[in-house]
């Protein structure tokens, strides 16, 4: 059955594959599903890091601040 998902082909070291396979067995899922979940989580962490950096840069600037309560009134 065809899928709408895009495919990628990864080549990994033996120890990484063993770790993925062990984790997949523990979670009772496939190596592909574990890899997909870990990739999603890694991208979320990268995004969080980026927006944290942007937020810190904005907070470091001297500018007028509006409180959370004032924004949502």
């Amino acid at each position: 059955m065809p899928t709408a998902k895009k495919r990628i082909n990864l080549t990994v070291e033996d120890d990484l594959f063993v770790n993925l396979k062990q984790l997949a067995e523990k979670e009772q899922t496939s190596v592909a599903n574990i890899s997909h979940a870990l990739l999603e989580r890694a991208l979320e962490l990268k995004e969080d890091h980026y927006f944290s950096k942007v937020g810190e840069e904005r907070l470091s600037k001297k500018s007028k601040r509006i409180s959370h309560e004032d924004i949502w009134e």
Side-chain angles (χ1 to χ4, degrees), residues 3-73:
T3 180
K5 294 180 181 179
K6 301 295 182 212
R7 292 185 178 271
I8 59 172
N9 184 14
L10 294 175
T11 303
V12 297
E13 294 82 11
D14 289 342
D15 58 336
L16 179 57
F17 181 78
V18 168
N19 289 335
L20 288 169
K21 187 171 181 176
Q22 288 174 344
L23 186 55
E25 288 171 357
K26 181 181 175 187
E27 299 289 325
Q28 298 180 342
T29 190
S30 67
V31 172
N33 283 340
I34 286 295
S35 300
H36 181 266
L38 290 171
L39 282 169
E40 279 187 326
R41 182 67 178 132
L43 289 173
E44 288 171 2
L45 289 172
K46 290 289 266 184
E47 183 181 69
D48 289 349
H49 178 73
Y50 170 78
F51 284 118
S52 177
K53 185 177 174 183
V54 168
E56 290 297 324
E57 288 174 5
R58 288 180 180 175
L59 286 174
S60 69
K61 294 178 182 175
K62 300 281 184 194
S63 61
K64 182 180 176 185
R65 304 261 195 283
I66 301 172
S67 73
H68 181 81
E69 292 79 20
D70 290 343
I71 289 292
W72 294 103
E73 285 185 345

